[in-house]
Amino acid sequence: FDRVARLDDEYLRKSTELVLADTLRIHTYPVLLLRDDALFFYRRTLPGTYEYHSLLLDKAHFEQTKKKFNETLFQVGSKQELFWTDVLPAKNAANGITANIPDEGPYEFIGRRKQITQIYDEIISIVNENGIVYGPGGIGKTALIIEVTKTLYREKDPANVLYDNIIWVSAKSNFYDYVFGTIEEREPQVRSLDNILFAVLRF
């Protein structure tokens, strides 16, 4: 390895990165970790915690995390990253619906059939009805609504089509980091009704 990259104090505190070339970098977290000028190696996973041991010193370190080890190791990004990405409208040739639903990547939605049915019965099936899905951060509100809109978009029977267009506009203003349990403030895409109207016109 050419060197160990130390990008800044905050990054160094959380992880380490080996640089093989200018464009090739390997993230060693969570296998290796730099803390207090010592190199630690991963030993095992405890409930909500990774247990590390020092290579040279007789000391242990416990890293708090809410993300699975394999997800962290293989750099599986949070789905929330995708909610800041503009998605080009796509048209379903079978039913004529056009939508710009965020892509969740290689994830499969499981469960929540009761909540989906309730949204259909109490909001979607009623003309001009509005609804709010609320709950603590990270509980899966956005994933639930993405699944609802995907179901609408994939409707196979043109007679059952409820909407010609499904337009996504993210109102998120912060990003929840599952690994470190922190909330990062970001520039919101929506600041006023004008932003929403512009997104609709652009769509």
Side-chain angles (χ1 to χ4, degrees), residues 14-18 27-34 39-42 52-53 55 69 73:
K14 292 182 178 179
S15 61
T16 184
E17 186 177 62
L18 297 178
H27 293 271
T28 58
Y29 177 84
V31 179
L32 299 176
L33 189 67
L34 285 175
L39 182 64
F40 291 82
F41 65 92
Y42 167 84
Y52 286 85
H53 286 260
L55 290 172
F69 181 85
L73 176 63

Side-chain angles (χ1 to χ4, degrees), residues 90-92 95-99 153 161-167 203:
K91 188 169 186 176
N92 186 335
N95 57 28
I97 298 176
T98 303
Y153 179 72
V161 170
L162 298 177
Y163 304 99
D164 294 328
N165 300 286
I166 300 173
I167 305 174
F203 175 93

Side-chain angles (χ1 to χ4, degrees), residues 42 44-51 61-66:
Y42 167 84
R44 61 177 176 168
T45 299
L46 302 173
T49 307
Y50 296 158
E51 180 181 339
H61 171 76
F62 298 92
E63 182 78 3
Q64 297 294 325
T65 181
K66 297 182 180 180

Side-chain angles (χ1 to χ4, degrees), residues 6-18:
R6 301 190 176 191
L7 303 182
D8 54 48
D9 291 340
E10 179 66 16
Y11 185 77
L12 177 62
R13 188 176 64 81
K14 292 182 178 179
S15 61
T16 184
E17 186 177 62
L18 297 178

Side-chain angles (χ1 to χ4, degrees), residues 25-188:
R25 301 181 178 210
I26 296 178
H27 293 271
T28 58
Y29 177 84
V31 179
L32 299 176
L33 189 67
L34 285 175
R35 276 286 201 275
D36 302 323
D37 295 325
L39 182 64
F40 291 82
F41 65 92
Y42 167 84
R43 184 169 184 179
R44 61 177 176 168
T45 299
L46 302 173
T49 307
Y50 296 158
E51 180 181 339
Y52 286 85
H53 286 260
S54 173
L55 290 172
L56 301 176
L57 306 174
D58 184 21
K59 59 190 300 188
H61 171 76
F62 298 92
E63 182 78 3
Q64 297 294 325
T65 181
K66 297 182 180 180
K67 197 170 186 180
K68 293 182 179 179
F69 181 85
N70 62 335
E71 291 180 350
T72 307
L73 176 63
F74 294 108
Q75 298 295 301
V76 178
S78 169
K79 289 179 282 187
Q80 294 194 45
E81 287 284 3
L82 299 171
F83 304 146
W84 273 271
T85 304
D86 286 332
V87 179
L88 291 176
K91 188 169 186 176
N92 186 335
N95 57 28
I97 298 176
T98 303
N100 65 337
I101 303 170
D103 181 13
E104 291 184 280
Y107 300 95
E108 180 181 355
F109 188 89
I110 299 175
R112 300 290 184 93
R113 307 320 303 178
K114 180 179 178 181
Q115 287 84 354
I116 291 176
T117 300
Q118 185 177 7
I119 291 172
Y120 265 81
D121 293 344
E122 298 182 9
I123 302 173
I124 293 177
S125 62
I126 302 175
V127 178
N128 295 326
E129 182 66 285
N130 299 311
I132 296 176
V133 176
Y134 64 93
I139 200 172
K141 301 181 295 296
T142 306
L144 175 65
I145 298 303
I146 284 181
E147 183 64 19
V148 170
T149 53
K150 281 183 176 179
T151 303
L152 291 168
Y153 179 72
R154 294 169 180 164
E155 175 58 55
K156 295 180 179 179
D157 186 354
N160 293 330
V161 170
L162 298 177
Y163 304 99
D164 294 328
N165 300 286
I166 300 173
I167 305 174
W168 264 88
V169 181
S170 175
K172 283 184 173 289
S173 61
N174 53 53
F175 171 78
Y176 177 64
D177 189 321
Y178 290 96
V179 178
F180 300 105
T182 59
I183 297 177
E184 173 188 334
E185 293 296 326
R186 295 199 175 183
E187 186 71 21

